Amino acid sequence: MADRDRDPDRNQPQEIQLLHPPPHYRQTGPSTTQIVAVLTLLPVGGSLLALAALTLTGTLIGLSIAIPLFIIFSPVIVPATIAISMAVAGFLSSGAFGLTGLSSLNYGLKRMIRANAGAGVGKGQAKRGMWDMVGYVGQKTKDVGQNMENKAHEGGGAVRT
């Protein structure tokens, strides 16, 4: 009787022990949800693979048609590509130069304010001096742009078809 009290598994009914089978009887295959997931994803994966194959086929057909056209029209395409890349480089460098100029003006303004703060020059006077410099640089830039435009019109007038 003392042995029965010490061993709790002996007191449990047989049905409860069958609900938890030993590890060697457990199912080792895929679960039902895994099977449903695979059956659901197989058509999706297959259709995506088919679309990838169609895209690759269309790309190869397009290249087989486009490569001879590229070769025929390369005397036009290559200079056009060069001109477009130079225009893009010009816009990008123009923006970089503009930002550099603005940051230089900002640095100069701050430096002028700090340098003149001890000399009795107020912030208003320093700002006016800086704005005068900015106006001068702006006017000079307009003049140079107008000069370049005039030269372009003079050169463009000689080449007429």
Side-chain angles (χ1 to χ4, degrees):
M1 184 95 159
D3 290 335
R4 277 185 139 172
D5 293 336
R6 283 189 227 156
D7 192 5
D9 290 335
R10 273 186 139 178
N11 294 334
Q12 291 181 352
Q14 186 70 13
E15 299 149 12
I16 295 176
Q17 288 179 353
L18 291 179
L19 288 177
H20 302 291
H24 62 278
Y25 290 120
R26 289 191 183 157
Q27 184 181 5
T28 58
S31 68
T32 307
T33 55
Q34 290 173 337
I35 292 172
V36 170
V38 167
L39 290 176
T40 304
L41 292 176
L42 271 176
V44 173
S47 62
L48 289 175
L49 187 61
L51 284 173
L54 285 173
T55 305
L56 178 64
T57 305
T59 302
L60 291 176
I61 290 171
L63 278 175
S64 66
I65 292 171
I67 285 176
L69 292 174
F70 282 147
I71 292 173
I72 291 170
F73 292 112
S74 66
V76 174
I77 292 175
V78 171
T81 304
I82 292 171
I84 289 172
S85 62
M86 288 179 68
V88 168
F91 283 122
L92 291 177
S93 62
S94 170
F97 290 146
L99 286 175
T100 304
L102 285 175
S103 63
S104 297
L105 288 174
N106 187 27
Y107 173 77
L109 176 65
K110 286 182 179 180
R111 181 111 172 148
M112 186 185 300
I113 289 173
R114 267 192 247 135
N116 292 331
V121 177
K123 284 185 180 179
Q125 190 175 356
K127 283 184 181 180
R128 273 193 303 275
M130 194 59 157
W131 281 115
D132 289 341
M133 187 187 326
V134 169
Y136 173 75
V137 170
Q139 185 61 40
K140 202 67 161 159
T141 305
K142 282 183 187 178
D143 293 343
V144 169
Q146 188 66 37
N147 191 11
M148 289 176 64
E149 186 178 316
N150 290 339
K151 286 185 180 181
H153 284 295
E154 290 172 9
V159 182
R160 289 193 178 159
T161 56

